[in-house]
Amino acid sequence: MDKVKQYALKKESVNLDPLISIGKNGISDSVVDELKKQLKIKKLVKVRIHRNSDDIDDIKEAGAALAQKCNARLIDVRGRTVTLYKQ
C-alpha cells in the first residue's frame, strides 16, 4: 500500500468510533471472528484495547497480531486504539 492511500485511510479513521473492544480475555477467537465480520462489512475498523487486557503489553504488537489473524493491514495506532483495513 502506498503512503498516500495509507494517509487517506488514517484521515478517514479519525471520525470513526471503535467497533470492537478487547477486554480481560485478550485476543480470543470470538474477537477475531467478529473483527473479520466487521472488516468484511466496513473495510476500515477501529479496535479499542482496554487496560485490563491481561496478555497485551505492547499495543503495536497486538495490532500487528490482529492484522495478521484477520488478513488486514495495520493502518494506525493511537494510544490504546488500533485501526485495521481489510486488504
Side-chain angles (χ1 to χ4, degrees):
M1 176 181 299
D2 64 352
K3 298 244 182 220
V4 174
K5 176 148 179 134
Q6 187 165 351
Y7 178 76
L9 289 169
K10 276 185 184 181
K11 190 174 177 183
E12 184 180 337
S13 73
V14 169
N15 296 322
L16 296 177
D17 292 325
L19 293 177
I20 307 287
S21 291
I22 298 176
K24 67 179 180 177
N25 294 330
I27 301 173
S28 64
D29 291 338
S30 60
V31 168
V32 172
D33 291 342
E34 181 62 26
L35 183 55
K36 284 179 181 178
K37 188 169 90 174
Q38 291 299 324
L39 282 167
K40 191 173 185 181
I41 295 168
K42 307 249 186 204
K43 298 277 189 206
L44 189 64
V45 176
K46 273 188 177 178
V47 178
R48 174 82 172 140
I49 301 171
H50 294 279
R51 293 192 189 281
N52 66 350
S53 300
D54 293 335
D55 61 341
I56 299 174
D57 295 324
D58 185 356
I59 302 301
K60 287 183 183 181
E61 201 173 281
L66 279 170
Q68 182 181 15
K69 290 180 180 186
C70 296
N71 193 28
R73 180 176 287 273
L74 180 62
I75 297 297
D76 195 18
V77 177
R78 294 193 183 239
R80 299 192 68 84
T81 304
V82 297
T83 304
L84 300 173
Y85 177 71
K86 179 69 175 166
Q87 298 189 70

